[in-house]
């Protein structure tokens, strides 16, 4: 009982250590971000009376006329915070955006666009880069004004499993059934079983195939394990239960 | 390498477990309804006679085009929520529609045929006052936008600014209106309240001030409300104090002439502010000299200005609504007047003469469960014989749009109240009469063997009869062509299906209109408008009695609370028929703090609703003797909590037997530092099937399943990105014990949270990394359960183990909910509404704090996915494919009769209903189940055995002969 009580406490302690460590690494990351960011663009502070800027670009769906998709398209800057619309020629502009760093997305129900991160300095300098949520400071430049090209229609649907003869025949289960059948039918015709020498050879090979009688059976192992686990009062089991927990940490 | 293979394998497994839609399932059990909201501006596309468009701009910052034949959307543009996207004005010219958006911040021009943006320009700052189209020599080329301090003129073709001028004396003069009669001059009308009108006339060409003068008008306070320009530049104002019209010729700049209404033989209803309504069919020409004057709530006059004299053309009394419409060169006046209690009539009159046009009566049916007509939009068109035909769109108080053709055919109605659903419930449909009969058989007391046999036989006969009639109907329908077979959904033929997949959706909207919608087809079965709902009401909908207690009717209770005063009223109704119940709800003179539904039922199987008022006194509804007695017995086990977010106080109370309360615990969150944002308990109808999780070493990790657990989210008052934080508290609602507390630094809201089973999932914005993050907390009792039979908050000595993990989510989210099934066996998914309109079904196994960083044998056996910091959004996981739900505000989940199936309704601007199968359809045959294959295999096997049997017999016979 005492033994088990101590474990959660240890757990919490370890977790705390982990959190602290993580916090440190995060902090380090944050600082490096600040250094690489272009002149304060890394911070999305909304200045109350600061200048407002315009994010411009063009969205293209290859092979589709713009008038077929622009009426259902919107431009989202940082979620729904700033909304823009697409002109009939595919270009767009989002007005009144304060300086900061934003993810710009083209939202259409039918086509897939990659989001782009746009950094705006307090002086209004713009920079576009790939969105990377894990390494937030990584800069892979993208053209600005934005050129966003759809990479194909959205695939919302799963394919149905279709049934064909080839699928059926190539199924491993079917193969496993058919091959032995073939062997059973064909082998006696090929090999003369009445030959005593041959028979001896076959018996030997059969013995080879037979599993080692001393090796424990998998199913047996399972039943042992389960019957053992169901005994609640056994002390050995509890220690068994906690040991992996210790290891996990 | 092995790890890589394992990852791949896992991926394959996950793909197969996660729910997805197959292409052939589109529209099979899901539907979407799109709305626009309450219309504020509307214009019929009048550029050609065959046009079938009406463009609308709404309170919800939506600009859309509707098909007038069907009422469906051609296209719709949804702008940002709030004042940034507010539509201030809609002007329509030819193929283009001009919108002034965001208090005069943006001017947009839309191409209305395809719904694309022509251009958008940013206007100078300043609050918007008015806008109008400016024409010259019959061509409209410009638009004028009047701001508080400046007026600017823009070209219609590209939005470029022609000129901008500051208004003189804008500190003292309140400029309100802009007008142009098409003569190259732009009039700006301003007012110094209770002193004088200031008029500035600009030249259209270069923006120079041509004239500037002021006229005494000490009685006038608002130009837009009480004035209109009529005829050749005659500014006309109505004043209720002196009961007269004032007129001013804008060109000759003389004094205002007063025309007492009495001299025209008119009277004004005392206390009514007369309203003027003029029409300017073409922006390049002056307005018509005919205008409407409303002198009472139900009295309108058609007047004409003739050589400076006002002539009464016609007196409409009673008339609810009036409107002008122009087609070609003809202008007509449409007048709606009440006919009887169930209908109104609309008649057309010639604007020039006031004569009634023949055969133009149109009947508008009044919905007894709807609101009064509020606005009349008229589309006039010329028929082949040069007479005027028309259609009307009527907007009523409950935000319904009804489109009517002569002589009274309702083409379509749009229930725009549904664009603002506040809360909803799903109620099981009742059994059919025959089914209820059968059920009743078991309920009755046995009379004896013989009568019971008789009863059984008779009910079986009834069943047989129902089945035969069903067969007959099938046969009958099969002979008819498919297009003619209409499955009209009415209350009569609504009944519960085998798996309880069809339910009644009871939706409460912000306007106070209630709807009953069939979940299978989306048909509105009933509607009920509650008038006198306060503007900022909060609603809570509760199901007091389900349909399971035949013959008692089901009963829903809606608590309507005025947020300012705290006073509440109850509306009790039948959720299947929408009718108000005859049960009289109690009067509640005190503000209500909290309401709670007890599992206790009265003798009529209605669950008891407890209401706590601001004196901490509790009242019960229904409050029969039976209920009070039951309450006294169990009072000591009833606990409730109150949240006061303004003072940051969370307090727990216990009920006493005399229905007073006592404070048991109190948690105070200091309001200077942080504020309580949301408090979430668990859903009462949630079932948890498995008590624990089997781990890799075959031991069981038991879940901490505390039904009284509350998750409290706090946000820091400091919003600076370096210092802001959010906190989460897990509090036991009975004892007030804090189970867990966590603070997330450099994080801010909005926080979305789901609390279920033994886990809490929340999402927040990380200000440091500028990304959205998910965090999951799971609570476990450990490997041994303290008391496995019953959970008591008062007797749980051990604190639970708390596991937590966080992930990056590559999108912001709008709302979040967890799936819910009948018995809780099916694995859970999180349904996440994204701003893009997609509804993502994310398996809960991705949000599992036990996801290991290093894969071990045991974690593999437990089917734990290795930890990855980023959660992926796969487009196959969108349960609503391309049927996006714009501005999704809530997701409602309900269990169905099938364990595998969860019913989902997402609501926002649109409503979307579907089913999800978090663990696939394990309890019914799949849609694509190949009946052909299985039957052909069976048949083949059957014949094979027959043949081989025959062959074997022949062989045996042959052998015997040998």
């Amino acid at each position: 009982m005492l033994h088990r009580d101590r474990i959660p406490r240890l757990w919490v302690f370890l977790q705390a250590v982990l959190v602290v460590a993580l916090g440190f690494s995060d902090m380090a990351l944050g600082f490096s971000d600040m250094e690489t960011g272009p002149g304060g663009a890394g911070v999305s502070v909304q200045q109350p009376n600061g200048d407002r800027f315009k994010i411009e670009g063009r969205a293209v769906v290859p092979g589709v006329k713009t008038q077929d998709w622009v009426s259902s398209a919107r431009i989202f800057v940082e979620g729904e915070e700033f909304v823009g619309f697409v002109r009939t020629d595919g270009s767009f502009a989002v007005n009144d955006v304060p300086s900061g760093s934003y993810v710009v997305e083209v939202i259409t129900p039918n086509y897939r666009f990659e989001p782009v991160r746009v950094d705006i300095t307090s002086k209004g300098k713009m920079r576009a880069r790939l969105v990377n949520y894990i390494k937030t400071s990584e800069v892979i430049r993208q053209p600005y004004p934005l050129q966003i090209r759809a990479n194909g229609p959205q695939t919302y649907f799963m394919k149905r499993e279709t049934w064909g003869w080839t699928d059926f025949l190539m199924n491993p289960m079917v193969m496993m059934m058919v091959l032995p059948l073939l062997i059973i039918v064909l082998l006696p015709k090929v090999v003369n079983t009445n030959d005593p020498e041959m028979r001896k050879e076959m018996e030997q090979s059969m013995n080879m195939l037979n599993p080692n009688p001393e090796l424990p059976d998998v199913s047996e192992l399972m039943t042992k394990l389960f019957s053992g686990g169901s005994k609640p009062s056994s002390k050995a089991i509890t220690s068994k239960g906690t040991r992996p927990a210790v290891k996990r940490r | 390498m092995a790890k890589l293979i394992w990852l791949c394998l896992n991926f394959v497994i996950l793909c197969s477990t996660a729910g997805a839609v197959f292409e052939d399932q589109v529209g099979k059990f899901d539907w979407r309804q799109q709305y626009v909201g309450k219309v504020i501006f509307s214009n019929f596309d009048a550029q050609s006679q065959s046009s079938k468009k009406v463009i609308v701009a709404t309170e919800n910052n939506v600009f859309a085009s509707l098909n007038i034949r069907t009422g469906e959307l051609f296209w719709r543009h949804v702008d940002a929520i709030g004042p940034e996207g507010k539509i201030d004005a809609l002007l329509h010219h030819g193929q283009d529609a001009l919108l002034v958006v965001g208090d005069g911040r943006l001017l947009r021009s839309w191409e209305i045929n395809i719904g694309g943006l022509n251009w958008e320009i940013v206007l100078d700052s300043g609050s918007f006052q008015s806008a109008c189209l400016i024409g010259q020599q019959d061509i409209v080329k410009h638009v004028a936008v009047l701001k508080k301090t400046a007026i600017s003129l823009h070209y219609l073709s590209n939005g470029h600014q022609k000129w901008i001028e500051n208004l003189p004396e804008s500190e003292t003069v309140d400029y309100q209106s802009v007008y142009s009669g098409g003569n190259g001059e732009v009039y700006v009308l301003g007012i110094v309240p209770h002193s004088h009108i200031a008029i500035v006339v600009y030249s259209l060409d270069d923006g120079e001030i041509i004239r500037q003068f002021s006229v005494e008008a000490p009685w006038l306070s608002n130009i837009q409300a009480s004035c209109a320009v009529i005829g050749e530049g005659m500014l006309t104002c109505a004043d209720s104090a002196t009961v007269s019209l004032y007129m001013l010729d804008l060109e000759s700049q003389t004094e205002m002439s007063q025309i007492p209404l009495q001299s025209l033989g008119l009277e004004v209803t005392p206390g009514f502010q007369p309203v003027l309504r003029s029409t300017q069919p073409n922006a390049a020409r002056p307005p018509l000299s005919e205008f409407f004057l409303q002198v009472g709530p139900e009295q309108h006059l058609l007047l004409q200005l003739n050589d400076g004299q006002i002539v009464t053309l016609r007196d409409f009394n009673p008339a609810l609504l009036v409107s002008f419409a122009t087609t070609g060169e003809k202008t007509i006046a449409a007048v709606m007047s009440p006919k009887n209690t169930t209908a109104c009539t609309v008649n057309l009159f010639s604007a020039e003469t006031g004569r009634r046009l023949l055969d133009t009566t149109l009947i508008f049916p009044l919905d007894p469960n709807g609101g009064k007509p509020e606005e009349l939009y008229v589309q006039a068109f010329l028929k082949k014989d040069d007479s005027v035909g028309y259609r009307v769109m009527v907007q009523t108080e409950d935000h319904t749009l009804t489109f009517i053709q002569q002589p009274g055919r309702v083409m379509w109605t749009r229930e725009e109240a549904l664009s603002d659903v506040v809360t909803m419930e799903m109620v099981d449909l009742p059994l059919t009469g025959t089914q209820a009969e059968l059920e009743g058989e078991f309920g009755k007391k046995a009379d004896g063997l013989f009568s019971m046999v008789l009863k059984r036989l008779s009910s079986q006969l009834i069943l047989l009869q129902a089945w035969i009639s069903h067969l007959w109907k099938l046969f009958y329908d099969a002979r008819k062509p498919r297009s003619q077979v209409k499955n009209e959904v009415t209350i009569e033929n609504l009944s519960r299906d085998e798996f309880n997949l069809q339910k009644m959706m009871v939706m409460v909207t912000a306007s106070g209109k209630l709807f009953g919608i069939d979940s299978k087809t989306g048909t509105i079965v009933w509607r009920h408008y509650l008038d006198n709902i306060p503007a900022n009401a909060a609603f809570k909908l509760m199901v007091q009695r389900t349909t399971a207690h035949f013959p008692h009717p089901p009963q829903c209770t809606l608590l309507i609370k005025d947020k300012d005063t705290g006073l509440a009223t109850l509306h009790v109704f039948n959720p299947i028929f929408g009718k108000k119940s005859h049960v009289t709800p109690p009067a509640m003179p005190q503000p209500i703090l909290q309401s709670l539904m007890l599992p206790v039922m009265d003798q009529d199987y209605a669950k008891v609703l407890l209401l706590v008022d601001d004196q901490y006194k509790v009242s019960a509804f229904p409050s029969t003797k039976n209920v009070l007695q039951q309450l006294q017995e169990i009072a000591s086990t009833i606990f409730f909590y109150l949240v006061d977010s303004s003072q940051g106080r969370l307090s727990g109370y216990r009920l006493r037997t005399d229905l007073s309360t006592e404070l048991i615990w109190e948690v105070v969150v200091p309001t200077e530092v942080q504020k309580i944002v949301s408090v979430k308990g668990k859903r009462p109808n949630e079932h948890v099937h498995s008590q624990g999780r089997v781990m890799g070493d075959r031991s069981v990790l038991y879940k901490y399943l505390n039904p009284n657990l509350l998750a409290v989210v706090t946000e820091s008052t400091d919003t600076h990105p370096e210092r802001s934080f959010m906190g989460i508290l897990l509090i036991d609602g009975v004892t007030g014990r804090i189970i867990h507390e966590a603070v997330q630094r450099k994080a801010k809201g909005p926080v979305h949270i789901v609390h279920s089973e033994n886990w809490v999932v929340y999402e927040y914005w990380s200000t440091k990394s500028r990304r959205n993050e998910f965090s999951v907390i799971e609570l476990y009792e450990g490997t041994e359960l303290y008391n496995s039979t019953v959970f008591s908050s008062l007797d749980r000595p051990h604190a639970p183990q708390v596991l937590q993990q966080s992930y990056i989510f590559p999108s912001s989210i709008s709302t979040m909910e967890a799936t819910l099934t009948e018995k809780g066996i099916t694995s859970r998914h999180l349904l996440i509404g994204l701003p893009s309109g997609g509804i993502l079904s994310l398996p809960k196994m991705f949000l599992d704090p036990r996801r290991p960083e290093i894969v071990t044998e045991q974690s593999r056996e437990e089917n734990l996915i290795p930890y990855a910091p980023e959660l992926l959004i796969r487009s196959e996981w969108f349960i609503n494919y391309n049927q996006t739900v714009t501005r999704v505000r809530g997701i409602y989940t309900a269990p169905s009769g099938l364990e595998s199936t969860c019913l989902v309704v997402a609501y926002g601007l649109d409503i979307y209903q579907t089913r999800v199968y978090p663990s696939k359809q394990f309890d019914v045959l799949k849609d694509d189940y190949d009946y052909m294959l299985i039957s052909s295999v069976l048949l083949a096997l059957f014949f094979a055995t027959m043949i081989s049997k025959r062959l074997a017999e022949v062989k045996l016979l042959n052998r015997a002969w040998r």
Side-chain angles (χ1 to χ4, degrees), chain B residues 430-440 462-463 495-498:
Chain B
L431 302 165
T432 56
T434 47
Q435 282 170 328
E437 187 83 13
L438 275 181
E439 293 279 317
I462 291 169
L463 267 188
S495 66
R496 200 181 300 178
D497 59 337
E498 270 174 286

Side-chain angles (χ1 to χ4, degrees), chain B residues 644-684:
Chain B
D644 186 350
S645 60
S646 62
Q647 294 181 24
R649 201 167 54 208
L650 200 70
S651 38
Y653 291 85
R654 178 156 76 172
L655 196 67
R656 289 213 195 108
T657 46
D658 59 344
L659 292 189
S660 61
T661 55
E662 63 178 318
L663 183 73
I664 300 180
W665 57 267
E666 197 168 47
V667 173
V668 178
V669 178
T671 47
E672 313 82 71
V673 185
Q674 49 186 335
K675 55 178 189 290
I676 297 174
V677 181
S678 74
V679 178
K680 275 254 177 159
K682 287 177 192 174
R683 291 178 65 164

